[in-house]
Amino acid sequence: MNYFSKIIGTGSAFPERIMTNHDFENFVETSDEWIRTRTGIQTRRIADHSKGEFTSTLALKAARNAIEMANIPADQIELIIIGTVTPDSLMPTTANLIQAALGATKAFSFDLQSACSGFLYGLSIADQYIRTGMVKTALVIGAETLSTLINWQDRGTCVLFGDGAGAALLTRTTETNHSILGTKLYSDGSKGDILKIPHGGSKYPHYLPEYQHKLHSIHMQGSEVFKLAVRNMIDASLAVLSDHGLTPEDVDYFFFHQANMRILDMCMKTLKVPKEKTWINLDKYGNTSAATLPVCLDEAWRAKVIKPGDLILMATFGGGVTWASGLIRL
Ligand code: ACO
């Protein structure tokens, strides 16, 4: 028997607080006009620690929404993966916190760090477990509170990111006409310096003086990231399509990582994607890293913009650097 995986539920969640571009004008040299025209971002959500908004609590809400849509008991879930570079803590994993809170007692769970590619990496891994028959139902989450890693004095990065969570529930199917058709995952550690968070690991432990030098925040070479994000998302999109003998014209709907409107425009122009065939929420949420793609999927599905049978293409690019694509027959 050949097994495949099918998405049966999606969910998303955001912190309450909305931060506008104008809010940044109070503490860095920037303007609403610069941020809007150079990035396309207008607002983003920022987690409020005092209200209990952490990566785990946002992820839990997104997961519960996905489980409610799928209408299955949480104890049927056998695998939980969270893509995040902002876990609540290093141990226990954030995935374990979710497993406990959901009562998903049959699931094994782990966190996965591949920055903005975290959701597609997780989706690909869950798909492999389901295809081999080892797991029947899996929960894949992308969740971030990047606001906790932002250097609020660095205007080149602080305006770009926002917090949020998205989730997808997958289950085993034997039908190929409603399933994940394929995924492509890529890494290039030689370019890791262009988007990195140097501290927080074993190289710079907290007791060294260097730990104080704001290296626990995001460091980015914006224009290098921009060029690679465009090229790699296009290449990854074409590669997964070519694996299935398809072209961009065959795709019903596209979801690209939401980092910068100009990146999205260049991907759409090169792949000849009309704007009505892609979901854009960058203006509202900014770059939510691993949360971006599952949130887009969830919003488009609930808005009935995508429907069962549609061919969906997803592509992403993330720090470190990583990138990925996925092709789904919904
Ligand atoms: N407000 C005003 N001016 C700014 C701001 C700001 N918020 N940020 C940068 N500038 C200034 C720079 O200091 C620079 O000034 P200078 O010429 O005096 O030195 C000038 O604007 C131009 O800077 P550039 O970096 O060349 O501006 P660019 O047009 O490339 O836009 C941006 C910068 C928005 C960061 C862009 O490069 C970008 O979006 N890159 C990709 C970012 C990205 O996708 N990151 C995440 C992807 S992976 C992931 O999601 C983890």
Side-chain angles (χ1 to χ4, degrees):
M1 182 81 76
N2 284 334
Y3 293 133
F4 304 95
S5 33
K6 173 184 178 169
I7 298 178
I8 52 167
T10 57
S12 45
F14 287 94
E16 271 178 36
R17 183 180 163 211
I18 297 173
M19 191 168 178
T20 68
N21 291 345
H22 291 293
D23 293 333
F24 288 90
E25 293 168 357
N26 298 322
F27 57 90
V28 279
E29 212 180 311
T30 191
S31 65
D32 171 55
E33 205 259 336
W34 192 95
I35 302 169
R36 261 190 302 109
T37 53
R38 304 304 290 168
T39 71
I41 301 166
Q42 297 184 30
T43 58
R44 71 287 289 144
R45 300 295 186 91
I46 302 294
D48 184 341
H49 195 264
S50 72
K51 290 188 178 146
E53 290 175 335
F54 318 123
T55 296
S56 65
T57 54
L58 296 172
L60 184 61
K61 275 191 195 166
R64 286 202 164 118
N65 291 339
I67 291 167
E68 192 181 65
M69 188 196 269
N71 195 21
I72 60 145
D75 68 2
Q76 275 187 19
I77 299 169
E78 293 171 325
L79 165 63
I80 300 174
I81 306 174
I82 302 193
T84 186
V85 292
T86 50
D88 281 23
S89 58
L90 291 181
M91 205 163 54
T93 63
T94 301
N96 269 21
L97 301 178
I98 304 300
Q99 186 245 15
L102 289 175
T105 47
K106 294 197 193 90
F108 68 98
S109 47
F110 60 91
D111 294 6
L112 183 156
Q113 268 195 36
S114 25
C116 305
S117 307
F119 177 73
L120 273 182
Y121 267 55
L123 194 79
S124 181
I125 293 168
D127 184 38
Q128 309 313 310
Y129 271 99
I130 290 174
R131 281 175 189 253
T132 56
M134 283 184 73
V135 154
K136 193 169 171 207
T137 302
L139 176 64
V140 182
I141 304 171
E144 300 284 12
T145 45
L146 279 177
S147 63
T148 59
L149 293 180
I150 284 172
N151 172 359
W152 294 96
Q153 272 92 53
D154 175 13
R155 66 177 181 175
T157 53
C158 70
V159 301
L160 302 176
F161 299 99
D163 301 333
L169 199 63
L170 274 57
T171 199
R172 182 194 291 170
T173 178
T174 48
E175 298 173 52
T176 46
N177 53 350
H178 295 289
S179 68
I180 295 173
L181 302 182
T183 48
K184 302 283 266 189
L185 309 182
Y186 305 89
S187 309
D188 184 357
S190 72
K191 299 203 173 62
D193 272 350
I194 69 169
L195 186 48
K196 61 182 179 181
I197 302 165
H199 282 188
S202 63
K203 188 171 175 189
Y204 296 103
H206 65 91
Y207 48 78
L208 289 186
E210 295 93 313
Y211 193 75
Q212 308 305 320
H213 296 163
K214 287 209 162 65
L215 290 181
H216 51 282
S217 59
I218 297 168
H219 285 59
M220 184 177 74
Q221 296 168 28
S223 57
E224 292 308 308
V225 173
F226 191 106
K227 283 181 270 181
L228 262 192
V230 172
R231 190 184 331 133
N232 290 353
M233 282 204 286
I234 292 169
D235 287 352
S237 299
L238 292 172
V240 75
L241 284 168
S242 145
D243 278 357
H244 294 83
L246 297 165
T247 68
E249 288 79 51
D250 298 309
V251 176
D252 294 302
Y253 212 78
F254 295 79
F255 295 101
F256 296 110
H257 179 55
Q258 314 271 306
N260 184 313
M261 197 55 224
R262 291 181 291 139
I263 294 178
L264 288 171
D265 283 338
M266 289 175 90
C267 290
M268 289 192 285
K269 194 172 163 208
T270 310
L271 295 171
K272 298 194 177 64
V273 177
K275 219 168 184 172
E276 57 278 11
K277 276 194 173 186
T278 186
W279 194 257
I280 291 165
N281 58 19
L282 172 79
D283 51 335
K284 282 194 289 182
Y285 305 129
N287 180 350
T288 58
S289 184
T292 299
L293 285 178
V295 165
C296 287
L297 181 67
D298 181 52
E299 288 190 338
W301 197 338
R302 287 174 193 268
K304 298 191 170 38
V305 168
I306 50 172
K307 53 187 184 320
D310 279 355
L311 185 67
I312 307 284
L313 189 137
M314 291 187 164
T316 191
F317 180 82
V321 298
T322 57
W323 65 106
S325 58
L327 197 59
I328 299 163
R329 180 68 74 183
L330 206 59

